[in-house]
């Protein structure tokens, strides 16, 4: 865990802070920090501690060259209310002692939601990076987080045109919305050469383009035994033809064990491994033949990499990955997934990268924020 600094020990005034809490936040915050540095504008990271395992946090800071956060609130795991509440309490205390010029929030996790509520009530200017995405599925905790974060943020930085349209339909003013592109893709472009050099597939005894990568962590997929066993059945079927590498999220590992499904991980075609750091994972995905996932970010990364992606969910908040990219939403039925995998492996796919997913989004974010602040 990054060094803990007791809230209030060191005072930072007139900084811009970006809040990070969990794995998918780091690759969004890293280029933002560097863009502020390039512009000579004081900026620092606040870590809520929502994710705390080395493989889910520290390794990303090291590989992405991120500075140690000015504070780690150390909230850890808990129910949604416990986790969100703990971030709110820690953040409110920290921000009242170190009042920033602005607070930036990324993504849609519980730490993002907590940051928006605290900033709005403290009257701190708040910008949301990745604003406007909507799955229209309120059973998904992230959808609640997105709606509330956007409603409370002063500046809405969207990755794609659908984000702008969703916000306008919810009554937001055009003046509050700036389409900046996808900041995670800045990180992907920056690190792709180093990731390729790692040659992770070879380390696992796999040839480039001759394996699939699987990630699963959504509560709706892994917390329900029937859904989880159906998904693993589909993966087993795919693994009879194409090796499947499966870096297993801690939540998923616990649920597979408690559902008595560990046997699936012993299938000879399934290579179940610990969660990977950013570079190792990019090394793996960038040479994959197929990606199977319930992650949001991976739908976007596979679009840019031009690798077919099957999203194991009923919906997506990232429709541009379907209209422009390589993504197909296939649900959780095992027969449908196996059929879609066969089609993805046999049909050629056209690569089209969405507008502004060009590796320069962080600079546009800094420009938009500074334009509002000055
Ligand atoms: C969270 C985010 C999700 C994001 C995901 C990426 C919310 C609502 N969910 O889900 O949007 O896609 O992160 O991983 O904010 N655990 C560990 N070690 C850790 C962190 C978690 O073992 O470092 C285990 C704990 O048992 C914990 C469980 O994973 O209870 C879930 O962690 P949590 O942060 O609540 O949600 P994620 O499923 O990781």
């Amino acid at each position: 865990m990054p060094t803990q600094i007791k809230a209030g020990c060191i005072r930072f005034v007139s900084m811009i802070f970006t809040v990070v809490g969990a794995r998918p936040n780091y690759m969004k915050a890293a280029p933002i920090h560097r863009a502020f540095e390039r512009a000579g504008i004081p900026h620092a990271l606040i870590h809520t501690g929502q994710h705390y395992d080395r493989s889910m946090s520290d390794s990303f800071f090291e590989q992405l060259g991120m500075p140690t956060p000015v504070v780690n609130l150390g909230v850890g795991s808990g129910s949604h209310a416990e986790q969100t509440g703990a971030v709110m309490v820690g953040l409110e205390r920290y921000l009242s002692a170190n009042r920033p010029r602005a607070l930036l929030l990324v993504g849609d996790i519980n730490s993002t939601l907590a940051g928006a509520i605290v900033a709005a009530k403290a009257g701190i200017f708040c910008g949301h990076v990745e604003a406007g995405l909507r799955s229209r599925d309120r059973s998904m905790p992230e959808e609640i987080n997105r709606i509330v974060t956007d409603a409370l943020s002063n500046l809405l930085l969207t990755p794609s045109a659908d984000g702008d349209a969703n916000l306008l339909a919810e009554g937001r003013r055009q003046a509050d919305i700036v389409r900046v592109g996808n900041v995670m893709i800045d990180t992907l472009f920056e690190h792709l050469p180093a990731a390729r050099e790692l040659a992770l597939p070879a380390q696992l005894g796999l040839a480039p383009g001759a394996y699939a990568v699987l990630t699963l962590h959504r509560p709706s997929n892994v917390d329900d035994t029937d859904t989880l066993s159906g998904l693993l059945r589909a993966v087993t079927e795919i693994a009879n033809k194409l090796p499947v590498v499966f870096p297993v999220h801690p939540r998923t590992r616990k649920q597979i064990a408690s559902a008595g499904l560990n046997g699936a991980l012993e299938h000879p075609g399934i290579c179940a491994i610990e969660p990977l750091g950013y570079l190792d994972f990019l090394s793996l995905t960038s040479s994959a033949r197929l990606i199977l996932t319930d992650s949001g970010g991976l739908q976007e990364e596979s679009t840019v990499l031009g690798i077919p992606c099957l999203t194991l969910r009923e919906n997506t908040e990232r429709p541009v990955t379907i209209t422009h990219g390589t993504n197909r939403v296939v649900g959780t039925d095992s027969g449908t997934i196996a059929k879609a995998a066969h089609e993805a492996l046999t049909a050629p796919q056209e690569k089209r990268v969405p507008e502004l997913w060009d590796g320069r989004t962080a600079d546009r974010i800094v420009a938009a924020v500074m334009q509002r602040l000055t």
Side-chain angles (χ1 to χ4, degrees), residues 249-327:
H249 185 286
R251 173 194 281 274
T252 311
R253 187 159 302 271
K254 281 177 202 161
Q255 296 300 341
I256 289 176
S258 65
L261 296 168
N262 274 333
L265 302 186
E266 273 138 40
H267 183 285
I270 297 180
C271 173
I273 56 178
E274 290 303 307
L276 294 171
Y278 183 79
L279 292 179
D280 286 328
F281 190 64
L282 184 57
S283 181
L284 190 64
T285 52
S286 60
S287 293
R289 177 72 188 83
L290 177 68
I291 290 174
L292 304 150
T293 191
D294 60 7
S295 144
L298 202 39
Q299 295 171 49
E300 300 175 330
E301 289 166 338
S302 55
T303 275
V304 171
L305 293 167
I307 293 170
C309 174
L310 301 183
T311 294
L312 311 177
R313 288 169 42 189
E314 302 300 336
N315 49 57
T316 180
E317 61 288 339
R318 291 159 161 93
V320 75
T321 61
I322 299 173
T323 54
H324 287 64
T326 55
N327 189 21

Side-chain angles (χ1 to χ4, degrees), residues 10-131:
I10 300 176
R11 291 179 70 82
F12 294 95
V13 283
S14 296
M15 276 274 203
I16 295 173
F17 288 133
T18 295
V19 176
V20 295
R23 191 169 60 172
N25 289 166
Y26 313 132
M27 45 289 235
K28 298 168 191 169
I32 294 174
H33 180 75
R34 262 196 305 284
F36 275 114
E37 258 184 355
R38 274 197 299 279
I41 298 159
H43 173 268
L45 301 172
I46 292 176
H47 198 320
T48 68
Q50 176 171 339
H51 280 179
Y52 42 86
D53 282 349
R54 194 183 146 66
S55 64
M56 303 293 282
S57 184
D58 283 11
S59 76
F60 287 81
F61 274 74
E62 289 159 15
Q63 295 196 341
L64 300 177
M66 295 166 77
T68 302
V70 287
V71 66
N72 188 316
L73 304 174
V75 302
S77 301
S79 72
H80 286 276
E82 286 164 347
Q83 201 171 53
T84 310
V87 176
M88 285 177 65
V89 172
L91 201 55
E92 184 182 63
R93 196 170 293 149
Y94 188 78
L95 295 181
S96 67
N98 303 278
R99 194 169 173 89
R101 223 173 145 190
L103 193 71
L104 292 186
L105 305 167
V106 295
D108 55 15
I109 66 166
N110 285 343
S111 301
T112 314
L113 165 71
I117 298 173
V118 169
K121 293 201 167 183
I124 295 168
F125 179 93
C126 178
H128 183 209
V129 175
E130 207 178 87

